[in-house]
Amino acid sequence: MTSQRPAASPAPEVGPDAARPTGPGSWPSVGVVVPTGGTRPHLLRRALDSVSAQDYPGEVRVLVVHDRVEPDTGLVSDGPRPVDVAVNTRTPGLAGTRNTGILAIGTDYVAFLDDDDHWLPGKLTAQVRRATAEDRPAMVTASMRVDFDGVSTPRLLGTDAIDHTMLTRNIVATAHSSGMLFDRAALVERIGLVSEDIPGSQNEDWDVKLRAARLGPIAHVDEPLVVVDWNRTSHYARSWDTKIASWDWMLAHHPEIARDRRASARVHGQLAFAEAARGRRVAALRHVARAVVGFQGAWRSVVTLAVVAGARPDAVIDALHRRGRGL
């Protein structure tokens, strides 16, 4: 890794007997990994400002990992929330960029923050309190607020835990990647790093949640502490060929999805819309048939038929985003 400071020391072990936070000196350290392609500098600054504004009493360090661009050394800061920069030395793309940061950050806990999202001030404190509870969950998520086209929509989950069955049937988008906090040792040694072979690094967040949930329920803080910016210029929002390849990858690597009727219907509904969006109507209708047979009334099949009939896929996606929902 090319970094502007010496490499961080190895992460101290956080085991079940570690002390609960009681004072400033007892709070575990948190590393924040911010992947960037260097194309949204003003949003990246907003993300970093939101980390600086956290009310968390313990140590917080930030590592901005640049993917396929030169690192912006102007981001380096030695303040109370120090910021360092690095370049992705692993597979190009979001997954490799995150993994570069995970392996380099060397803190007790590691959190993800995308460069176009930001946090509300109490986010880390609430999550670490939950992470250091007696059951010591390996992963803690938080609910989000979606900002799109001038509209803000809170997305709450209605539960404080996410189990494997729930994740099999639903990606649980409310538990967004920018709201993920991990026990770093558990992530590296038990859950496993972010999968770098998923096409386009899409659905990598669903994959890592599924793998984490195999260890036990994911703890969830059901407050909208993460602000997710769904903008029309997002590289991941509408790249249909890559989306199709990533859903196929999920079906191949998580056979429990294909075995569950509702879960399979969901994915085939997504595949149907993507095929319709790229003009492959026959393929879209095949997936619609599989979605409807698997779970009658699947709403993705309805919007797919609208696209097959001539509706613009971008207009459908925009309408969903304005309601804080994705495909």
Side-chain angles (χ1 to χ4, degrees):
M1 183 190 77
T2 301
S3 177
Q4 307 306 307
R5 293 196 183 98
S9 58
E13 189 136 347
V14 181
D17 297 325
R20 293 287 305 280
T22 55
S26 66
W27 289 81
S29 59
V30 178
V32 184
V33 174
V34 184
T36 187
T39 60
R40 303 179 282 210
H42 62 296
L43 296 178
L44 173 58
R45 291 282 183 178
R46 181 184 67 180
L48 297 180
D49 287 345
S50 77
V51 177
S52 180
Q54 291 296 300
D55 61 13
Y56 185 66
E59 176 189 0
V60 178
R61 301 205 301 270
V62 182
L63 183 61
V64 182
V65 187
H66 295 71
D67 183 42
R68 291 169 282 194
V69 293
E70 288 297 313
D72 180 0
T73 57
L75 299 173
V76 176
S77 168
D78 290 316
R81 301 283 194 244
V83 178
D84 203 354
V85 299
V87 294
N88 177 19
T89 58
R90 296 174 65 92
T91 306
L94 180 60
T97 306
R98 282 196 175 129
N99 287 338
T100 293
I102 292 165
L103 294 172
I105 198 72
T107 47
D108 300 331
Y109 286 84
V110 61
F112 296 162
L113 176 58
D114 291 349
D115 65 356
D116 57 345
D117 300 331
H118 59 287
W119 294 342
L120 298 185
K123 187 262 188 190
L124 283 182
T125 300
Q127 285 190 298
V128 174
R129 282 192 190 279
R130 180 63 189 90
T132 54
E134 187 174 354
D135 59 337
R136 295 283 174 171
M139 180 179 182
V140 181
T141 54
S143 289
M144 65 178 179
R145 188 187 83 205
V146 174
D147 284 359
F148 177 77
D149 205 20
V151 177
S152 292
T153 307
R155 291 283 304 276
L156 300 179
L157 196 54
T159 184
D160 60 3
I162 305 169
D163 65 20
H164 192 266
T165 299
M166 183 178 180
L167 277 164
T168 298
R169 294 181 172 180
N170 195 316
I171 192 174
V172 190
T174 303
H176 189 272
S177 56
S178 288
M180 293 179 179
L181 176 84
F182 298 89
D183 177 316
R184 182 180 173 276
L187 175 60
V188 173
E189 298 167 13
R190 298 167 61 208
I191 298 171
L193 294 175
V194 181
S195 295
E196 296 182 23
D197 59 342
I198 301 179
S201 288
Q202 294 204 23
N203 283 314
E204 45 80 29
D205 54 341
W206 189 15
D207 171 66
V208 79
K209 285 185 287 192
L210 278 165
R211 288 188 280 121
R214 289 191 185 118
L215 303 179
I218 296 169
H220 182 73
V221 177
D222 202 22
E223 300 175 45
L225 299 173
V226 179
V227 182
V228 175
D229 193 346
W230 280 352
N231 59 80
R232 290 189 175 88
T233 60
S234 172
H235 172 71
Y236 298 101
R238 305 162 202 234
S239 48
W240 301 114
D241 290 354
T242 307
K243 282 181 175 293
I244 289 168
S246 71
W247 284 317
D248 285 340
W249 188 98
M250 290 297 296
L251 288 172
H253 287 78
H254 294 277
E256 64 270 31
I257 296 173
R259 288 195 299 265
D260 187 290
R261 189 174 70 173
R262 291 182 61 181
S264 177
R266 178 185 185 276
V267 175
H268 283 291
Q270 291 171 311
L271 286 165
F273 187 94
E275 293 286 15
R278 64 177 187 168
R280 293 166 53 92
R281 295 185 177 186
V282 173
L285 291 173
R286 287 196 190 104
H287 285 296
V288 165
R290 295 188 69 174
V292 172
V293 168
F295 184 61
Q296 283 191 324
W299 64 265
R300 291 176 183 84
S301 298
V302 176
V303 297
T304 295
L305 293 175
V307 174
V308 169
R312 290 191 304 109
D314 282 358
V316 174
I317 293 293
D318 287 351
L320 291 172
H321 282 1
R322 287 191 189 97
R323 291 163 176 77
R325 303 201 61 87
L327 181 63

